[in-house]
Amino acid sequence: MSLQQINSEAERLRNEMTHALSELIRIPAIGPENGGEGESEKAKKLRQILGTIGFDKIESYDAEDKRVPSKKRPNIVAYYYGENKAERLWIISHLDIVPPGEETLWTVTKPYEPKVKDDRIYGRGSEDNGQSMVASMFAVKILKNLGIKPKRTVALAFVSDEEHGSEYGIQHLIAQKLIRKDDLIVVPDGGSEDGSFIEISEKSALWLKIRTIGAQTHASRPHKGLNAHRIGMEYALSLDKMLHEKYRLKDEYFDPPESTFEPTMKEKNVDAINIVPGEDVSYVDCRILPNYDLGEVLKDIRELAGNYEKRTGAKINVEIVQKSVAPKPTDAEARIVTALEEVIENVRKVKPKVGGIGGGTCAAFFRKINIPAVVWCTIDETAHQPNEYSKIKNLADDAEVYVHLAMV
Ligand SMILES: [Zn+2]
């Protein structure tokens, strides 16, 4: 089968891929931590689409979760058998999305009303991770339409809970022992605009909830209380400064090369302008180079909180919402890395670049158990932003890469 034939078939399926992605965008799949009902509705639609493609076997591995109406978080695996069933290519994408955020910032279309414009599909979950869900299943459709039995079995996994720790998603799937050490694993949940970037390592992640407790009072008599909002802001700013100054090492292997510390979410406090808040809650997202010990970072954060407590009389609780220590990187000589490099060079005509990112993908869980995994896809990096989009060209081009990856 020539490069040209595969390319033509991918191009021919563009409209179908656009339609499939649009259907998926219409159904939100937000985890309970973010106030959502989980992924069950989206999984139903996905199974419907998978059913039209003709896989050899489709399985479900639901994880029980009492917090969502369906009481389960779906994980779906679809197999398309190759000549050699013992050899498998896994492509792992996730069903869940993050909330749309401030709706007025969605100027092209509403988050769940997909819109095609300038060869892009706009909508929440279009790039993260709908594009890869669709590209991977259409890779199988291309193989089928062209009558190709690939060298190795293609196994597609669609998992839940990626945006909040993966306990009910990829961790649950790994526990089923379906995935073996010598399988090839691609997690298409990060990448670059030209598709040249292959991620093999990541930073450690630390999410913190900072709760400052003072005493509420009337704003005309502030001396009667203790303004938790002011102290919370002061602490947050000095924390920000301390972290950036102390942990400032750069590693050019990563993009961005330095550790990042970002104050992000802020909880609502009082209901009126004339009330001095007695409590202040904010959050920080830290992505830390693997050179640093998270225990030490945490110690510094708490020590600074202690100083502010002493100085102000407020109480500052630093709570860990999530903590993941960067696993050992995937070996740059691992078969999945070299195979993907070969395909990218041949099909995309760009020079592949291997490196690290801020991380937090399903790949980390494979690296933790010493199974090589790469993160790769072709994206403009609009994930988690308003007006998130996926390029239709990328849908077709990534599908093509997966087809070749099943055959090399
Ligand atoms: Zn993602």
Side-chain angles (χ1 to χ4, degrees):
M1 196 62 55
S2 72
L3 271 176
Q4 191 46 49
Q5 280 168 296
I6 292 166
N7 176 264
S8 308
E9 187 58 16
E11 290 303 315
R12 203 182 64 79
L13 291 172
R14 267 178 171 232
N15 284 344
E16 268 185 62
M17 288 191 240
T18 306
H19 181 72
L21 180 52
S22 303
E23 286 202 278
L24 291 168
I25 291 169
R26 279 182 226 282
I27 309 167
I30 296 172
E33 299 85 356
N34 286 324
E37 300 192 340
E39 302 84 353
S40 289
E41 288 306 312
K42 197 168 202 158
K44 264 186 221 157
K45 174 55 75 180
L46 173 71
R47 279 200 84 126
Q48 225 180 60
I49 303 171
L50 290 174
T52 65
I53 291 178
F55 283 84
D56 289 309
K57 189 167 75 174
I58 300 176
E59 295 173 329
S60 281
Y61 294 92
D62 297 337
E64 193 188 324
D65 187 350
K66 296 212 163 68
R67 299 170 301 171
V68 295
S70 68
K71 308 285 179 236
K72 61 185 188 205
R73 312 292 293 278
N75 296 289
I76 296 169
V77 179
Y79 296 94
Y80 182 59
Y81 296 140
E83 282 167 12
N84 179 358
K85 279 198 208 170
E87 245 189 81
R88 298 182 305 185
L89 165 68
W90 285 88
I91 304 170
I92 295 162
S93 53
H94 64 86
L95 286 152
D96 58 319
I97 57 169
V98 290
E102 182 57 49
E103 295 236 5
T104 55
L105 297 175
W106 287 81
T107 50
V108 180
T109 186
K110 293 202 173 114
Y112 306 122
E113 289 174 17
K115 183 171 173 179
V116 176
K117 196 184 161 200
D118 308 326
D119 198 50
R120 295 166 171 181
I121 307 167
Y122 287 84
R124 177 53 93 221
S126 53
E127 183 184 272
D128 184 17
N129 202 207
Q131 177 186 314
S132 296
M133 291 169 70
V134 172
S136 63
M137 58 181 135
F138 275 78
V140 170
K141 184 146 186 161
I142 294 168
L143 288 165
K144 280 202 73 127
N145 286 359
L146 295 176
I148 306 171
K149 197 162 176 67
K151 188 172 145 195
R152 55 180 66 86
T153 287
V154 180
L156 307 184
F158 305 91
V159 298
S160 287
D161 194 28
E162 193 279 331
E163 301 290 359
H164 211 276
S166 289
E167 185 187 339
Y168 302 89
I170 196 62
Q171 296 201 63
H172 179 76
L173 206 59
I174 286 174
Q176 315 297 316
K177 305 227 181 296
L178 303 173
I179 301 156
R180 297 186 292 252
K181 265 206 157 56
D182 50 358
D183 287 343
L184 302 186
I185 296 167
V186 180
V187 176
D189 197 14
S192 59
E193 257 176 71
D194 64 354
S196 64
F197 187 68
I198 303 172
E199 185 256 274
I200 58 164
S201 70
E202 58 198 80
K203 295 173 186 170
S204 298
L206 187 60
W207 288 3
L208 300 172
K209 176 178 185 177
I210 296 164
R211 182 194 295 272
T212 306
I213 300 152
Q216 185 175 313
T217 187
H218 196 282
S220 62
R221 301 161 64 77
H223 55 280
K224 294 278 185 197
L226 187 58
N227 193 328
H229 183 35
R230 177 185 290 117
I231 297 164
M233 285 195 293
E234 281 172 353
Y235 172 65
L237 279 177
S238 97
L239 179 67
D240 191 64
K241 194 160 173 266
M242 180 275 285
L243 290 170
H244 282 102
E245 274 169 12
K246 181 156 179 194
Y247 298 98
R248 59 164 182 245
L249 200 80
K250 276 184 199 277
D251 181 347
E252 293 303 332
Y253 187 69
F254 281 90
D255 178 25
E258 63 279 331
S259 303
T260 57
F261 305 96
E262 291 299 307
T264 52
M265 199 160 64
K266 182 92 181 62
E267 275 180 22
K268 178 184 175 304
N269 52 21
V270 289
D271 286 313
I273 298 177
N274 61 359
I275 303 171
V276 167
E279 194 172 309
D280 179 82
V281 181
S282 68
Y283 295 79
V284 188
D285 176 321
C286 314
R287 311 287 166 128
I288 301 163
L289 286 177
N291 315 55
Y292 292 121
D293 174 21
L294 288 194
E296 195 173 317
V297 178
L298 267 166
K299 202 175 127 239
D300 283 337
I301 292 170
R302 293 206 157 109
E303 214 170 86
L304 188 66
N307 293 346
Y308 268 81
E309 286 183 330
K310 257 184 241 144
R311 199 185 310 165
T312 63
K315 181 101 195 74
I316 302 178
N317 289 328
V318 178
E319 190 186 308
I320 299 169
V321 180
Q322 212 179 124
K323 179 181 158 193
S324 75
V325 177
K328 209 169 140 246
T330 289
D331 185 351
E333 299 300 315
R335 178 69 185 126
I336 181 56
V337 183
T338 57
L340 186 54
E341 283 178 321
E342 189 187 320
V343 171
I344 290 171
E345 264 195 293
N346 278 339
V347 180
R348 289 290 176 81
K349 316 288 181 212
V350 291
K351 195 151 181 46
K353 182 178 167 265
V354 170
I357 55 163
T361 70
C362 289
F365 299 98
F366 292 104
R367 292 181 188 137
K368 263 176 206 159
I369 51 172
N370 280 318
I371 298 183
V374 297
V375 176
W376 175 88
C377 64
T378 313
I379 47 169
D380 284 3
E381 298 193 89
T382 61
H384 299 209
Q385 295 170 26
N387 302 318
E388 176 183 351
Y389 65 82
S390 158
K391 278 187 184 150
I392 297 171
K393 182 181 181 342
N394 292 342
L395 279 171
D397 288 357
D398 284 6
E400 228 179 304
V401 165
Y402 302 139
V403 168
H404 288 281
L405 208 48
M407 301 196 300
V408 290

